[in-house]
Coordinates of all heavy atoms in Angstrom, one line a residue:
M139 N -21.7 -22.1 -22.9 CA -20.7 -21.4 -22.3 C -21.3 -20.3 -21.3 O -22.3 -19.6 -21.7 CB -19.9 -20.7 -23.3 CG -18.7 -19.9 -22.8 SD -17.8 -19.3 -24.3 CE -16.4 -18.8 -23.4
T140 N -20.8 -20.2 -20.1 CA -21.4 -19.3 -19.1 C -20.8 -17.9 -19.4 O -19.6 -17.7 -19.5 CB -21.0 -19.8 -17.7 OG1 -21.4 -21.1 -17.6 CG2 -21.6 -18.9 -16.7
Q141 N -21.7 -16.9 -19.3 CA -21.2 -15.5 -19.5 C -20.8 -15.0 -18.2 O -21.3 -15.3 -17.1 CB -22.3 -14.7 -20.1 CG -22.6 -15.0 -21.5 CD -23.6 -14.0 -22.1 OE1 -24.2 -13.2 -21.4 NE2 -23.8 -14.0 -23.4
R142 N -19.8 -14.2 -18.2 CA -19.3 -13.5 -17.0 C -20.2 -12.4 -16.6 O -20.7 -11.6 -17.5 CB -17.9 -13.0 -17.3 CG -17.2 -12.3 -16.1 CD -15.9 -11.9 -16.4 NE -15.1 -13.1 -16.5 CZ -13.8 -13.1 -16.5 NH1 -13.1 -12.0 -16.4 NH2 -13.1 -14.2 -16.6
K143 N -20.5 -12.2 -15.3 CA -21.3 -11.1 -14.9 C -20.5 -9.8 -15.1 O -19.3 -9.8 -14.9 CB -21.6 -11.3 -13.4 CG -22.5 -12.5 -13.1 CD -22.8 -12.5 -11.6 CE -23.6 -13.7 -11.3 NZ -23.9 -13.8 -9.9
S144 N -21.2 -8.8 -15.4 CA -20.6 -7.5 -15.7 C -19.9 -6.9 -14.5 O -18.9 -6.2 -14.6 CB -21.6 -6.5 -16.3 OG -22.6 -6.2 -15.3
G145 N -20.3 -7.2 -13.3 CA -19.7 -6.7 -12.1 C -18.5 -7.4 -11.6 O -17.8 -7.0 -10.7
A146 N -18.3 -8.6 -12.2 CA -17.1 -9.4 -11.8 C -15.8 -8.8 -12.3 O -15.8 -8.4 -13.4 CB -17.3 -10.9 -12.3
K147 N -14.8 -8.9 -11.5 CA -13.5 -8.4 -11.9 C -12.7 -9.5 -12.6 O -12.7 -10.6 -12.1 CB -12.7 -8.0 -10.6 CG -13.3 -6.9 -9.9 CD -13.1 -5.6 -10.6 CE -13.7 -4.4 -9.7 NZ -13.7 -3.2 -10.4
P148 N -12.2 -9.2 -13.8 CA -11.4 -10.2 -14.4 C -10.1 -10.5 -13.7 O -9.6 -9.6 -13.0 CB -11.1 -9.6 -15.8 CG -11.2 -8.1 -15.6 CD -12.2 -7.9 -14.5
N149 N -9.6 -11.7 -13.8 CA -8.4 -12.1 -13.1 C -7.2 -11.9 -14.0 O -6.5 -12.8 -14.4 CB -8.5 -13.6 -12.6 CG -7.6 -13.8 -11.5 OD1 -7.0 -12.9 -10.9 ND2 -7.5 -15.1 -11.1
T150 N -7.0 -10.7 -14.3 CA -5.9 -10.3 -15.3 C -4.6 -10.1 -14.5 O -4.6 -9.9 -13.3 CB -6.3 -9.0 -16.0 OG1 -6.4 -8.0 -15.1 CG2 -7.6 -9.2 -16.8
P151 N -3.5 -10.1 -15.2 CA -2.2 -9.8 -14.5 C -2.2 -8.5 -13.8 O -1.7 -8.4 -12.7 CB -1.2 -9.8 -15.7 CG -1.8 -10.7 -16.7 CD -3.3 -10.5 -16.6
S152 N -2.8 -7.5 -14.3 CA -2.8 -6.2 -13.7 C -3.6 -6.2 -12.4 O -3.3 -5.6 -11.4 CB -3.3 -5.1 -14.6 OG -4.6 -5.3 -15.0
R153 N -4.7 -7.0 -12.4 CA -5.6 -7.2 -11.2 C -4.8 -7.9 -10.2 O -4.8 -7.6 -9.0 CB -6.8 -7.9 -11.6 CG -7.8 -8.2 -10.5 CD -8.5 -6.9 -10.1 NE -9.4 -7.2 -9.0 CZ -9.6 -6.4 -8.0 NH1 -9.1 -5.2 -8.0 NH2 -10.4 -6.8 -7.1
K154 N -4.1 -9.0 -10.6 CA -3.3 -9.7 -9.6 C -2.2 -8.9 -9.0 O -1.9 -8.9 -7.9 CB -2.6 -10.9 -10.3 CG -3.6 -12.0 -10.6 CD -2.9 -13.2 -11.3 CE -3.9 -14.3 -11.6 NZ -3.2 -15.5 -12.3
Q155 N -1.6 -8.0 -9.9 CA -0.5 -7.1 -9.4 C -1.1 -6.1 -8.4 O -0.5 -5.9 -7.3 CB 0.1 -6.3 -10.5 CG 1.2 -5.4 -10.1 CD 1.6 -4.4 -11.2 OE1 0.9 -4.2 -12.1 NE2 2.8 -3.9 -11.0
A156 N -2.3 -5.6 -8.6 CA -3.0 -4.7 -7.7 C -3.2 -5.3 -6.3 O -3.0 -4.7 -5.3 CB -4.3 -4.1 -8.3
V157 N -3.7 -6.6 -6.4 CA -3.9 -7.3 -5.1 C -2.6 -7.6 -4.4 O -2.5 -7.4 -3.2 CB -4.6 -8.6 -5.4 CG1 -4.7 -9.5 -4.2 CG2 -6.0 -8.4 -5.9
H158 N -1.6 -7.9 -5.1 CA -0.2 -8.1 -4.5 C 0.3 -6.9 -3.9 O 0.8 -6.9 -2.8 CB 0.7 -8.6 -5.6 CG 2.1 -8.8 -5.1 ND1 2.5 -9.8 -4.2 CD2 3.2 -8.0 -5.3 CE1 3.8 -9.6 -3.9 NE2 4.2 -8.5 -4.6
L159 N 0.2 -5.7 -4.6 CA 0.6 -4.5 -4.0 C -0.2 -4.1 -2.8 O 0.4 -3.5 -1.8 CB 0.6 -3.4 -5.1 CG 1.6 -3.5 -6.2 CD1 1.3 -2.6 -7.4 CD2 3.0 -3.3 -5.7
K160 N -1.5 -4.3 -2.8 CA -2.3 -4.0 -1.6 C -1.8 -4.8 -0.5 O -1.7 -4.3 0.7 CB -3.8 -4.2 -2.0 CG -4.7 -3.7 -0.9 CD -6.2 -4.0 -1.3 CE -6.7 -3.1 -2.3 NZ -8.1 -3.2 -2.5
D161 N -1.6 -6.1 -0.7 CA -1.1 -7.0 0.4 C 0.2 -6.5 0.9 O 0.4 -6.6 2.1 CB -1.0 -8.4 -0.1 CG -2.3 -9.1 -0.4 OD1 -3.3 -8.6 0.1 OD2 -2.3 -10.2 -1.0
E162 N 1.1 -6.1 0.0 CA 2.4 -5.6 0.5 C 2.3 -4.4 1.3 O 3.0 -4.2 2.3 CB 3.3 -5.3 -0.8 CG 4.7 -4.9 -0.4 CD 5.5 -5.9 0.3 OE1 5.2 -7.2 0.2 OE2 6.4 -5.6 1.0
V163 N 1.4 -3.4 1.0 CA 1.2 -2.3 1.8 C 0.7 -2.7 3.2 O 1.2 -2.2 4.2 CB 0.2 -1.3 1.2 CG1 -0.2 -0.2 2.1 CG2 0.8 -0.6 -0.1
Y164 N -0.3 -3.5 3.3 CA -0.8 -4.0 4.6 C 0.3 -4.7 5.4 O 0.4 -4.6 6.6 CB -2.0 -4.9 4.4 CG -3.3 -4.2 4.1 CD1 -4.1 -4.6 3.0 CD2 -3.7 -3.1 4.8 CE1 -5.3 -3.9 2.8 CE2 -4.8 -2.4 4.5 CZ -5.6 -2.8 3.5 OH -6.8 -2.2 3.2
R165 N 1.1 -5.5 4.7 CA 2.2 -6.3 5.3 C 3.2 -5.3 6.0 O 3.6 -5.4 7.1 CB 2.9 -7.2 4.3 CG 4.0 -8.1 4.9 CD 4.6 -9.0 3.9 NE 3.6 -9.8 3.2 CZ 3.2 -9.7 2.0 NH1 3.8 -8.9 1.2 NH2 2.3 -10.5 1.4
Q166 N 3.5 -4.2 5.2 CA 4.5 -3.2 5.7 C 3.9 -2.4 6.9 O 4.6 -2.0 7.8 CB 5.0 -2.3 4.6 CG 5.8 -3.0 3.5 CD 7.0 -3.6 4.0 OE1 7.6 -3.2 5.0 NE2 7.5 -4.7 3.4
M167 N 2.6 -2.2 6.8 CA 1.9 -1.5 7.9 C 2.0 -2.3 9.2 O 2.3 -1.8 10.3 CB 0.4 -1.2 7.6 CG 0.2 -0.2 6.5 SD -1.5 0.0 6.0 CE -2.2 0.8 7.5
M168 N 1.8 -3.6 9.1 CA 2.0 -4.5 10.2 C 3.4 -4.5 10.7 O 3.6 -4.5 12.0 CB 1.5 -5.9 9.9 CG 0.0 -6.1 9.6 SD -0.9 -5.6 11.1 CE -0.4 -6.9 12.3
R169 N 4.4 -4.6 9.9 CA 5.8 -4.6 10.3 C 6.1 -3.3 11.0 O 6.8 -3.3 12.0 CB 6.7 -4.7 9.1 CG 6.6 -6.0 8.4 CD 7.6 -6.2 7.3 NE 8.9 -6.4 7.8 CZ 10.0 -5.6 7.5 NH1 9.9 -4.7 6.5 NH2 11.2 -5.8 8.1
L170 N 5.6 -2.1 10.6 CA 5.8 -0.9 11.2 C 5.1 -0.9 12.6 O 5.6 -0.4 13.6 CB 5.3 0.3 10.4 CG 5.5 1.7 10.9 CD1 7.0 1.9 11.2 CD2 5.0 2.7 9.9
E171 N 3.9 -1.4 12.7 CA 3.1 -1.4 13.9 C 3.8 -2.2 15.0 O 3.8 -1.9 16.2 CB 1.7 -2.0 13.6 CG 0.8 -1.9 14.8 CD 0.4 -0.5 15.2 OE1 0.4 0.4 14.3 OE2 0.0 -0.3 16.3
V172 N 4.5 -3.3 14.6 CA 5.2 -4.1 15.6 C 6.6 -3.6 15.9 O 7.4 -4.2 16.7 CB 5.2 -5.6 15.3 CG1 3.8 -6.2 15.2 CG2 6.0 -5.9 14.0
G173 N 7.0 -2.6 15.2 CA 8.3 -1.9 15.5 C 9.5 -2.5 14.8 O 10.6 -2.4 15.3
R174 N 9.3 -3.2 13.7 CA 10.5 -3.7 12.9 C 11.4 -2.6 12.4 O 10.9 -1.6 11.9 CB 10.0 -4.6 11.7 CG 9.3 -5.8 12.1 CD 10.2 -6.9 12.3 NE 9.6 -8.1 12.8 CZ 9.2 -9.1 12.0 NH1 9.5 -9.1 10.7 NH2 8.6 -10.2 12.5
P175 N 12.7 -2.7 12.6 CA 13.6 -1.7 12.0 C 13.5 -1.6 10.5 O 13.4 -2.5 9.8 CB 15.0 -2.2 12.4 CG 14.8 -3.3 13.5 CD 13.4 -3.8 13.3
G176 N 13.4 -0.3 10.1 CA 13.4 -0.1 8.6 C 12.0 -0.2 8.0 O 11.8 0.0 6.8
A177 N 11.0 -0.5 8.9 CA 9.6 -0.7 8.3 C 9.0 0.5 7.7 O 8.2 0.5 6.8 CB 8.7 -1.3 9.4
E178 N 9.4 1.7 8.3 CA 8.9 2.9 7.7 C 9.3 3.1 6.3 O 8.5 3.6 5.4 CB 9.2 4.2 8.6 CG 10.7 4.5 8.7 CD 11.3 3.6 9.8 OE1 10.7 3.1 10.7 OE2 12.6 3.6 9.8
M179 N 10.5 2.8 6.0 CA 11.0 2.9 4.6 C 10.3 1.8 3.7 O 9.9 2.1 2.6 CB 12.5 2.6 4.5 CG 13.1 2.8 3.1 SD 12.8 4.4 2.4 CE 14.1 5.3 3.2
G180 N 10.1 0.6 4.2 CA 9.4 -0.4 3.5 C 8.0 0.0 3.1 O 7.5 -0.2 2.0
L181 N 7.3 0.6 4.1 CA 5.9 1.1 3.9 C 5.9 2.2 2.8 O 5.1 2.2 1.9 CB 5.3 1.6 5.2 CG 3.9 2.1 5.1 CD1 2.9 1.1 4.4 CD2 3.4 2.5 6.5
A182 N 6.9 3.1 2.9 CA 6.9 4.2 2.0 C 7.2 3.7 0.5 O 6.5 4.1 -0.4 CB 8.0 5.2 2.3
I183 N 8.0 2.7 0.4 CA 8.3 2.2 -0.9 C 7.1 1.4 -1.4 O 6.8 1.5 -2.6 CB 9.6 1.3 -0.8 CG1 10.8 2.1 -0.6 CG2 9.7 0.4 -2.1 CD1 12.1 1.3 -0.3
S184 N 6.4 0.7 -0.6 CA 5.2 0.0 -1.0 C 4.2 0.9 -1.5 O 3.5 0.6 -2.5 CB 4.7 -0.9 0.1 OG 5.6 -1.9 0.5
L185 N 4.0 2.0 -0.8 CA 3.0 3.0 -1.2 C 3.4 3.6 -2.6 O 2.5 3.8 -3.4 CB 2.9 4.2 -0.2 CG 2.0 4.0 1.0 CD1 2.0 5.2 1.9 CD2 0.5 3.8 0.5
V186 N 4.6 4.0 -2.8 CA 5.1 4.5 -4.0 C 4.8 3.5 -5.2 O 4.3 3.9 -6.2 CB 6.5 5.0 -4.0 CG1 7.0 5.3 -5.4 CG2 6.7 6.1 -3.0
R187 N 5.1 2.3 -4.9 CA 4.9 1.2 -6.0 C 3.4 1.1 -6.3 O 3.0 0.9 -7.5 CB 5.5 -0.1 -5.5 CG 7.0 -0.2 -5.6 CD 7.5 -1.5 -5.1 NE 8.9 -1.6 -5.2 CZ 9.7 -2.3 -4.4 NH1 9.1 -3.0 -3.5 NH2 11.0 -2.3 -4.5
A188 N 2.6 1.1 -5.3 CA 1.1 1.0 -5.5 C 0.6 2.2 -6.3 O -0.2 2.0 -7.2 CB 0.4 0.9 -4.1
W189 N 1.1 3.4 -5.9 CA 0.6 4.6 -6.7 C 1.1 4.5 -8.1 O 0.4 4.9 -9.0 CB 1.1 5.9 -6.0 CG 0.2 6.4 -4.9 CD1 0.4 6.3 -3.6 CD2 -1.1 7.0 -5.1 NE1 -0.7 6.8 -2.9 CE2 -1.6 7.2 -3.8 CE3 -1.9 7.3 -6.2 CZ2 -2.8 7.8 -3.6 CZ3 -3.1 7.9 -6.0 CH2 -3.6 8.1 -4.7
Q190 N 2.3 4.1 -8.3 CA 2.9 4.0 -9.6 C 2.1 3.0 -10.5 O 1.7 3.3 -11.6 CB 4.3 3.6 -9.6 CG 5.0 3.7 -10.9 CD 6.5 3.4 -10.7 OE1 6.9 2.6 -9.8 NE2 7.3 3.9 -11.6
A191 N 1.7 1.9 -9.9 CA 1.0 0.9 -10.6 C -0.4 1.4 -10.9 O -1.0 1.1 -12.0 CB 0.9 -0.4 -9.8
A192 N -1.0 2.1 -10.0 CA -2.4 2.6 -10.2 C -2.4 3.6 -11.3 O -3.4 3.7 -12.0 CB -2.9 3.2 -8.9
G193 N -1.4 4.4 -11.4 CA -1.3 5.4 -12.5 C -1.1 4.8 -13.8 O -1.5 5.4 -14.8
S194 N -0.5 3.6 -13.9 CA -0.2 3.0 -15.2 C -1.3 2.0 -15.7 O -1.3 1.6 -16.8 CB 1.1 2.2 -15.1 OG 1.0 1.1 -14.3
Q195 N -2.3 1.7 -14.8 CA -3.3 0.8 -15.2 C -4.5 1.5 -15.8 O -4.9 2.6 -15.3 CB -3.8 -0.1 -14.0 CG -2.7 -1.0 -13.5 CD -3.1 -1.7 -12.2 OE1 -4.2 -1.6 -11.8 NE2 -2.2 -2.5 -11.7
A196 N -5.1 1.0 -16.8 CA -6.3 1.6 -17.5 C -7.5 1.6 -16.5 O -8.2 2.7 -16.4 CB -6.6 0.9 -18.8
E197 N -7.8 0.5 -15.9 CA -9.0 0.4 -15.0 C -8.6 0.3 -13.6 O -8.7 -0.7 -13.0 CB -9.8 -0.8 -15.4 CG -10.4 -0.7 -16.8 CD -11.1 -2.0 -17.2 OE1 -11.5 -2.7 -16.3 OE2 -11.4 -2.1 -18.4
S198 N -8.1 1.4 -13.0 CA -7.5 1.3 -11.7 C -8.2 2.3 -10.7 O -7.6 2.7 -9.7 CB -6.0 1.6 -11.7 OG -5.8 2.9 -12.2
S199 N -9.4 2.7 -11.0 CA -10.1 3.7 -10.1 C -10.3 3.1 -8.7 O -10.2 3.8 -7.7 CB -11.4 4.2 -10.7 OG -12.3 3.1 -10.8
E200 N -10.6 1.8 -8.7 CA -10.8 1.2 -7.4 C -9.5 1.2 -6.6 O -9.5 1.5 -5.4 CB -11.2 -0.3 -7.6 CG -11.5 -1.0 -6.3 CD -11.9 -2.5 -6.5 OE1 -12.7 -2.7 -7.5 OE2 -11.5 -3.3 -5.8
E201 N -8.4 0.9 -7.2 CA -7.1 1.0 -6.5 C -6.7 2.4 -6.1 O -6.2 2.6 -5.0 CB -6.0 0.4 -7.4 CG -6.0 -1.1 -7.5 CD -7.1 -1.6 -8.5 OE1 -7.6 -0.8 -9.3 OE2 -7.4 -2.8 -8.4
R202 N -7.0 3.4 -7.0 CA -6.7 4.8 -6.6 C -7.6 5.2 -5.4 O -7.1 5.9 -4.5 CB -6.9 5.7 -7.8 CG -5.7 5.7 -8.7 CD -5.8 6.8 -9.7 NE -6.9 6.7 -10.6 CZ -6.9 6.1 -11.8 NH1 -5.8 5.6 -12.2 NH2 -8.0 6.1 -12.6
D203 N -8.9 4.8 -5.4 CA -9.7 5.1 -4.3 C -9.2 4.5 -3.0 O -9.2 5.2 -2.0 CB -11.2 4.6 -4.5 CG -11.9 5.4 -5.6 OD1 -11.4 6.5 -6.0 OD2 -12.9 4.9 -6.1
W204 N -8.8 3.3 -3.1 CA -8.2 2.7 -1.9 C -6.9 3.4 -1.4 O -6.7 3.7 -0.3 CB -7.9 1.2 -2.2 CG -7.2 0.5 -1.0 CD1 -7.7 0.0 0.1 CD2 -5.8 0.3 -0.9 NE1 -6.8 -0.5 0.9 CE2 -5.5 -0.4 0.3 CE3 -4.7 0.5 -1.8 CZ2 -4.3 -0.8 0.7 CZ3 -3.4 0.1 -1.4 CH2 -3.2 -0.5 -0.1
L205 N -6.1 3.8 -2.4 CA -4.8 4.5 -2.1 C -5.1 5.8 -1.4 O -4.4 6.3 -0.5 CB -4.0 4.6 -3.3 CG -3.2 3.4 -3.7 CD1 -2.7 3.5 -5.1 CD2 -2.0 3.2 -2.7
K206 N -6.2 6.5 -1.9 CA -6.5 7.8 -1.4 C -7.0 7.7 0.1 O -6.8 8.6 0.9 CB -7.6 8.5 -2.2 CG -7.2 9.0 -3.5 CD -8.3 9.6 -4.3 CE -7.9 10.0 -5.7 NZ -9.0 10.5 -6.5
K207 N -7.6 6.5 0.4 CA -8.0 6.3 1.8 C -6.8 5.9 2.7 O -6.7 6.3 3.9 CB -9.1 5.2 1.9 CG -10.4 5.7 1.2 CD -11.4 4.6 1.2 CE -12.6 5.0 0.5 NZ -13.6 3.9 0.4
I208 N -6.0 5.0 2.2 CA -4.9 4.4 3.0 C -3.7 5.2 3.2 O -3.0 5.2 4.2 CB -4.6 3.0 2.5 CG1 -4.0 2.1 3.6 CG2 -3.7 3.0 1.3 CD1 -4.9 1.6 4.6
S209 N -3.4 6.1 2.2 CA -2.2 6.8 2.2 C -2.0 7.8 3.4 O -1.0 7.8 4.0 CB -2.0 7.6 0.9 OG -1.7 6.7 -0.2
P210 N -3.1 8.5 3.7 CA -2.9 9.4 4.9 C -2.6 8.6 6.2 O -1.9 9.0 7.0 CB -4.3 10.1 5.0 CG -4.8 10.1 3.6 CD -4.3 8.8 3.1
I211 N -3.2 7.4 6.3 CA -3.0 6.6 7.5 C -1.5 6.1 7.5 O -0.8 6.2 8.5 CB -3.9 5.4 7.5 CG1 -5.4 5.9 7.6 CG2 -3.6 4.4 8.6 CD1 -6.4 4.8 7.3
C212 N -1.1 5.7 6.3 CA 0.3 5.2 6.2 C 1.3 6.4 6.5 O 2.3 6.2 7.2 CB 0.6 4.6 4.9 SG -0.3 3.1 4.5
L213 N 1.0 7.5 6.0 CA 1.9 8.7 6.2 C 2.0 9.0 7.7 O 3.1 9.3 8.2 CB 1.5 9.9 5.3 CG 1.7 9.7 3.8 CD1 1.1 10.9 3.1 CD2 3.2 9.5 3.5
Q214 N 0.8 9.0 8.3 CA 0.8 9.3 9.8 C 1.6 8.2 10.6 O 2.3 8.6 11.5 CB -0.6 9.3 10.3 CG -0.7 9.7 11.8 CD -0.2 11.1 12.1 OE1 -0.5 12.0 11.4 NE2 0.6 11.2 13.1
M215 N 1.5 7.0 10.2 CA 2.3 5.9 10.8 C 3.8 6.1 10.6 O 4.5 6.0 11.6 CB 1.9 4.5 10.3 CG 0.5 4.1 10.7 SD 0.1 2.5 9.9 CE 1.1 1.4 10.8
I216 N 4.2 6.5 9.4 CA 5.6 6.7 9.1 C 6.1 7.9 10.0 O 7.1 7.8 10.6 CB 5.8 7.0 7.6 CG1 5.5 5.7 6.9 CG2 7.2 7.5 7.4 CD1 5.4 5.9 5.4
E217 N 5.4 9.0 10.0 CA 5.8 10.2 10.7 C 5.9 9.9 12.2 O 6.8 10.3 12.9 CB 4.8 11.4 10.5 CG 4.9 11.9 9.1 CD 3.8 13.0 8.8 OE1 2.9 13.2 9.6 OE2 3.9 13.6 7.7
T218 N 4.9 9.2 12.8 CA 4.9 8.8 14.2 C 6.1 8.0 14.5 O 6.8 8.2 15.5 CB 3.6 8.1 14.6 OG1 2.5 8.9 14.3 CG2 3.6 7.7 16.0
A219 N 6.4 7.0 13.7 CA 7.6 6.1 13.9 C 8.9 6.9 13.8 O 9.8 6.7 14.7 CB 7.6 5.0 12.9
L220 N 9.0 7.8 12.9 CA 10.2 8.6 12.7 C 10.4 9.6 13.9 O 11.5 9.8 14.4 CB 10.2 9.4 11.4 CG 10.4 8.5 10.2 CD1 10.3 9.3 8.9 CD2 11.7 7.7 10.2
N221 N 9.3 10.2 14.4 CA 9.3 11.1 15.5 C 9.7 10.3 16.8 O 10.5 10.8 17.6 CB 8.0 11.8 15.7 CG 7.7 12.8 14.7 OD1 8.7 13.4 14.1 ND2 6.5 13.2 14.5
A222 N 9.2 9.1 16.9 CA 9.5 8.3 18.1 C 11.0 7.9 18.1 O 11.7 7.9 19.1 CB 8.7 7.0 18.1
Y223 N 11.5 7.6 16.9 CA 12.9 7.3 16.7 C 13.8 8.5 17.1 O 14.8 8.4 17.8 CB 13.2 6.8 15.3 CG 14.7 6.5 15.1 CD1 15.2 5.4 15.6 CD2 15.5 7.4 14.4 CE1 16.6 5.1 15.4 CE2 16.8 7.2 14.2 CZ 17.4 6.0 14.7 OH 18.7 5.7 14.5
N224 N 13.4 9.7 16.6 CA 14.2 10.9 16.9 C 14.1 11.3 18.4 O 15.1 11.8 18.9 CB 13.6 12.1 16.0 CG 14.0 11.9 14.6 OD1 15.0 11.2 14.2 ND2 13.2 12.5 13.7
I225 N 13.1 11.0 19.0 CA 13.0 11.3 20.5 C 13.9 10.3 21.2 O 14.6 10.7 22.2 CB 11.5 11.2 21.0 CG1 10.7 12.4 20.4 CG2 11.5 11.1 22.5 CD1 9.2 12.3 20.7
A226 N 13.9 9.0 20.8 CA 14.7 8.0 21.5 C 16.2 8.2 21.2 O 17.0 7.9 22.0 CB 14.2 6.6 21.0
C227 N 16.5 8.6 20.0 CA 17.9 8.8 19.6 C 18.1 10.2 19.1 O 18.2 10.5 17.9 CB 18.2 7.8 18.5 SG 17.9 6.1 18.9
P228 N 18.2 11.2 20.0 CA 18.2 12.6 19.5 C 19.4 13.0 18.7 O 19.3 13.8 17.8 CB 18.2 13.4 20.8 CG 18.4 12.5 21.9 CD 18.2 11.1 21.4
G229 N 20.5 12.3 18.8 CA 21.7 12.6 18.0 C 21.7 11.9 16.6 O 22.6 12.1 15.8
A230 N 20.6 11.2 16.3 CA 20.6 10.4 15.1 C 20.1 11.2 13.9 O 20.1 10.7 12.8 CB 19.7 9.2 15.3
Q231 N 19.8 12.5 14.1 CA 19.3 13.3 13.0 C 20.3 13.6 12.1 O 21.1 14.2 11.8 CB 18.5 14.5 13.5 CG 17.3 14.1 14.3 CD 16.6 15.4 14.8 OE1 17.1 16.5 14.8 NE2 15.4 15.2 15.4

């Protein structure tokens, strides 16, 4: 029987969930970048879900580190999109 290397990540459900949530955040970033309506809300929800999952997992320091790096970028993207919308539609506030 082959032993697993200590540095290898197990393919557990929580690991699969983390990968899925990371993919979802990137997907929403792309939707926002191309100007899809409602994408800023989708990105915000994806971030909240990722943070929530990272807080509930026992071994999620890697996910939290990634979230600490990506969250400021996502928040800037959301703010920029909302500001652009408010400039284009001043009465929409």
